[in-house]
């Protein structure tokens, strides 16, 4: 099966400062992949390259076999959807209006979204279990509800590839779990989902696969129970841990009896 997304020897520099040092991975339909790494590891730069927002990368990035650097923005929007971690509130859009924004790449010229686009938006809301919210103001929703709306907006684009930037970073504990359950359900429906996370426990519970990014290179790539080890967590975050198996899954237990000094490479 041809990968839906692939990166081969991807490198990117800001001036003379190389951020990505030859990233390689491929992803297939139906996978939920979590990208772990500390601040400054290169996660945001990698995502911006994958989305075609940084055209100066070297190497190859392909979406459904097409080189990203050779595609126009409208074509990229038809193949991959991006879900940010937050949304700046400027106008009091309704939920339906917010989700309709995901269909704009289908609309030519100055046309407004029509019946087909509205049907796609409502279908996306139903898929996320929030169809009853379409008339509510987006700005008056809870953080968890807003994140579900942003995911619905991405689904309305009609793509099967979703890239999410820390989708639960601003949510409380309960909403983090509820959103991740919805995200996992999308992967089971055949979506390919690549998300960044600062929460290795969350990735261990929900992801099918983990990419561990550190200093612009992938240190580990594989199944969560194989990849997440105390040694890897020490390298990524500078924290000593142990793993504990329970009936609900494997848990990461930080060893905080001693407060270790920050290592030279640790960023706070």
């Amino acid at each position: 099966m041809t990968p839906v997304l692939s990166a081969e020897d991807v490198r990117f520099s800001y001036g003379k400062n190389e951020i990505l040092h030859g990233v390689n991975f491929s992803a297939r339909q139906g996978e939920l992949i979590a990208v772990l790494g500390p601040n400054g590891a290169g996660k945001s730069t990698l995502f911006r390259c994958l989305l075609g927002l940084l055209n100066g990368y070297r190497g190859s990035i392909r979406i459904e076999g097409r080189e990203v650097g050779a595609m126009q923005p409208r074509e990229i929007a038809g193949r991959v959807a991006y879900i940010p971690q937050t949304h700046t509130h400027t106008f009091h859009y309704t939920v339906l209006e917010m989700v309709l924004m995901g269909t704009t790449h289908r609309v030519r010229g100055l046309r407004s979204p029509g019946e087909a686009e509205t049907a796609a938006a409502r279908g996306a809301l139903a898929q996320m279990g929030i169809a009853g919210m379409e008339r509510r103001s987006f700005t008056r929703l809870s953080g968890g509800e807003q994140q579900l709306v942003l995911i619905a907006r991405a689904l309305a684009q009609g793509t099967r590839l979703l890239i999410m930037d820390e989708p639960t970073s601003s949510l409380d504990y309960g909403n983090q779990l509820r959103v991740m359950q919805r995200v996992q359900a999308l992967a089971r429906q055949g979506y390919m989902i690549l998300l960044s996370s600062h929460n290795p426990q969350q990735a261990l519970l929900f992801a099918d696969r983990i990419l561990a990014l550190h200093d612009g290179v992938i240190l580990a790539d594989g199944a969560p129970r194989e990849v997440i080890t105390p040694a890897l967590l020490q390298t990524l975050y500078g924290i000593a841990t142990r793993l504990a198996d329970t009936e609900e899954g494997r848990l990461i237990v930080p060893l905080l009896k001693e407060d270790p000094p920050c290592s030279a490479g640790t960023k706070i």
Side-chain angles (χ1 to χ4, degrees):
M1 184 184 297
T2 303
V4 67
L5 174 67
S6 65
E8 297 178 10
D9 195 30
V10 174
R11 300 172 181 272
F12 185 84
S13 301
Y14 292 106
K16 295 182 179 179
N17 183 23
E18 188 172 75
I19 305 299
L20 302 177
H21 309 297
V23 171
N24 293 276
F25 75 93
S26 62
R28 302 186 184 279
Q29 216 70 55
E31 284 190 301
L32 172 51
I33 302 175
V35 181
L36 296 179
N39 291 333
K43 299 188 299 299
S44 295
T45 298
L46 174 61
F47 279 20
R48 294 182 71 191
C49 288
L50 297 176
L51 292 163
L53 301 176
L54 294 175
N55 292 323
Y57 68 83
R58 301 179 301 283
S60 175
I61 299 173
R62 292 181 178 272
I63 297 176
E64 297 177 346
R66 290 270 288 141
E67 184 67 40
V68 166
M71 289 193 282
Q72 295 299 314
R74 186 181 293 271
E75 185 180 1
I76 295 174
R79 294 173 183 261
V80 57
Y82 173 66
I83 297 96
Q85 55 182 286
T86 57
H87 178 84
T88 302
H89 315 312
T90 304
F91 301 104
H92 292 281
Y93 290 113
T94 67
V95 165
L96 181 60
E97 289 170 336
M98 283 292 297
V99 178
L100 273 170
M101 293 177 190
T103 68
T104 54
H105 69 287
R106 306 181 192 176
V107 179
R108 300 293 176 177
L110 299 177
R111 255 192 347 110
S112 298
E115 292 182 5
E117 289 76 30
T118 300
R122 285 181 167 143
L125 286 169
Q127 196 171 353
M128 295 307 297
I130 52 174
M133 295 183 184
E134 70 170 62
R135 296 181 181 277
R136 292 177 61 183
S137 170
F138 179 80
T139 60
R140 296 187 178 182
L141 301 180
S142 70
E145 291 169 337
Q146 288 184 348
Q147 196 62 36
L148 293 178
V149 172
L150 295 178
I151 296 173
R153 183 177 67 179
L155 297 182
Q157 284 184 225
T159 75
R160 304 295 287 181
L161 171 56
L162 308 177
I163 294 180
M164 303 183 176
D165 183 11
E166 298 181 39
T168 64
S169 64
S170 62
L171 305 183
D172 63 44
Y173 180 67
N175 278 321
Q176 287 181 29
L177 295 176
R178 282 184 280 272
V179 168
M180 285 305 300
Q181 285 176 318
R182 292 284 186 179
V183 170
Q184 188 181 56
L186 290 174
R188 299 298 172 262
Q189 294 167 27
Y191 287 88
M192 191 272 120
I193 300 170
L194 184 73
L195 64 85
S196 63
S197 176
H198 280 302
N199 188 334
Q201 181 64 71
Q202 190 180 87
L204 184 56
L205 289 175
F206 291 101
D208 300 311
R209 184 172 149 210
I210 285 174
L211 300 179
L213 191 64
H214 184 62
D215 287 340
V217 298
I218 293 178
L219 292 185
D221 176 359
R225 290 178 70 91
E226 298 173 1
V227 166
I228 293 185
T229 64
L232 179 72
L233 295 172
Q234 178 73 51
T235 299
L236 293 182
Y237 305 111
I239 295 293
T241 60
R242 68 178 178 87
L243 302 177
D245 288 314
T246 73
E247 292 183 0
E248 300 301 323
R250 182 167 289 181
L251 301 180
I252 300 170
V253 182
L255 305 179
L256 300 177
K257 292 182 179 180
E258 297 182 3
D259 187 14
C262 292
S263 62
T266 302
K267 297 183 180 181
I268 300 177

